[in-house]
Amino acid sequence: MFILGFSIFMGLSVPQYFNEYTAIKGYGPVHTGGRWFNDIVNVPFSSEAFVAGCVAYFLDNTLHRRDSSIRKDRGKHWWDKFRSFKGDTRSEEFYSLPFNLNKYFPSV
């Protein structure tokens, strides 16, 4: 819950700061000699989705990987059965090619 809330908060706050700074000064917070570099940094950080996604990705990957309760919170336990092609008997039927092309292009 913290990761989701904090990333939404930062996703709204940081772009607002970048947009207001640009409106007042006429250029973004990153103001170097190279305009191309300024645009590379200022444009993504003016996007709510980019900032929130980066913050959420970073915070989600800093959690302990081996703790079972964290694995369950992140939904990793649900993906365990799909880690192997042979893990589910329906995989062969679902991923088969049409017109019986599996004879010529085997999946595994």
Side-chain angles (χ1 to χ4, degrees):
M1 293 294 280
F2 171 77
I3 292 173
L4 183 63
F6 187 72
S7 62
I8 290 173
F9 172 74
M10 293 302 289
L12 295 172
S13 300
V14 172
Q16 183 67 26
Y17 169 74
F18 270 71
N19 292 331
E20 284 186 17
Y21 192 97
T22 303
I24 293 171
K25 298 275 188 167
Y27 51 85
V30 178
H31 187 65
T32 63
R35 182 179 164 117
W36 62 272
F37 181 75
N38 299 342
D39 292 341
I40 288 174
V41 177
N42 288 328
V43 169
F45 283 101
S46 296
S47 167
E48 291 88 357
F50 177 81
V51 174
C54 287
V55 170
Y57 179 78
F58 174 75
L59 291 176
D60 194 40
N61 285 317
T62 58
L63 297 174
H64 299 290
R65 293 179 184 260
R66 302 291 177 221
D67 190 6
S68 63
S69 64
I70 291 176
R71 281 185 54 80
K72 188 169 189 269
D73 286 344
R74 293 177 73 187
K76 295 286 188 175
H77 68 289
W78 189 83
W79 289 100
D80 286 341
K81 60 185 170 189
F82 299 109
R83 290 190 61 116
S84 173
F85 182 75
K86 303 288 185 195
D88 192 2
T89 57
R90 299 172 293 176
S91 294
E92 186 68 41
E93 176 186 350
F94 184 77
Y95 291 110
S96 65
L97 296 172
F99 306 117
N100 208 10
L101 291 172
N102 286 351
K103 291 189 296 187
Y104 306 109
F105 304 103
S107 57
V108 178

